[in-house]
Amino acid sequence: VQLQASGGGLVQPGGSLRLSCAASGTIYSINAMGWHRQAPGKQRELVAIISKSGRINYADFVKGRFTISRDNAKNTVYLQMNSLKPEDTAVYFCYGGIRDSRQLRFDDYWGQGTLVTVSS
């Protein structure tokens, strides 16, 4: 099982980006999926998380600006980021609580990270 994130890049303040993260491999089931981020010199922090049924939680600092969604048929989670600020600059990591079809438990899987830089 692996997660592949994409969509990062350089954007001006006030701009938008859309991140995608697709899970692949011997997947039996996926529970929650989400995004964390880590800025230089800071700890990794939760950005948003979405359950299999669609229940969503956002960090306060992205409410009203970011939207998380998922396509269960494609095992993919998205993060639409609008009104980006320089302080949103970070490496964004996708996450999935996934049960490998060869296992009887759910484990946490992380994508490789995609860099988002907000700068003029």
Side-chain angles (χ1 to χ4, degrees), residues 55-87:
R55 187 174 66 234
I56 293 171
N57 281 303
Y58 292 106
D60 287 343
F61 53 79
V62 303
K63 285 181 179 178
R65 300 188 299 125
F66 292 9
T67 302
I68 190 171
S69 61
R70 64 188 284 174
D71 184 332
N72 290 331
K74 296 181 179 180
N75 293 331
T76 300
V77 62
Y78 305 95
L79 186 68
Q80 178 65 43
M81 304 185 293
N82 299 328
S83 303
L84 282 161
K85 305 174 181 180
E87 52 263 44

Side-chain angles (χ1 to χ4, degrees), residues 18-119:
R18 187 188 193 215
L19 306 182
S20 299
C21 177
S24 62
T26 53
I27 297 170
Y28 179 82
S29 181
I30 303 177
N31 281 342
M33 301 187 80
W35 294 91
H36 289 63
R37 71 184 187 185
Q38 187 166 18
K42 295 187 177 181
Q43 290 187 331
R44 189 175 297 191
E45 59 186 356
L46 173 70
V47 175
I49 190 166
I50 181 169
S51 72
K52 188 174 184 178
S53 63
R55 187 174 66 234
I56 293 171
N57 281 303
Y58 292 106
D60 287 343
F61 53 79
V62 303
K63 285 181 179 178
R65 300 188 299 125
F66 292 9
T67 302
I68 190 171
S69 61
R70 64 188 284 174
D71 184 332
N72 290 331
K74 296 181 179 180
N75 293 331
T76 300
V77 62
Y78 305 95
L79 186 68
Q80 178 65 43
M81 304 185 293
N82 299 328
S83 303
L84 282 161
K85 305 174 181 180
E87 52 263 44
D88 293 318
T89 296
V91 177
Y92 285 71
F93 297 90
C94 60
Y95 154 86
I98 300 173
R99 179 183 163 186
D100 189 314
S101 60
R102 299 166 297 180
Q103 305 290 339
L104 297 178
R105 66 182 185 275
F106 284 85
D107 291 312
D108 294 341
Y109 289 86
W110 292 88
Q112 82 284 7
T114 185
L115 177 62
V116 172
T117 303
V118 185
S119 175

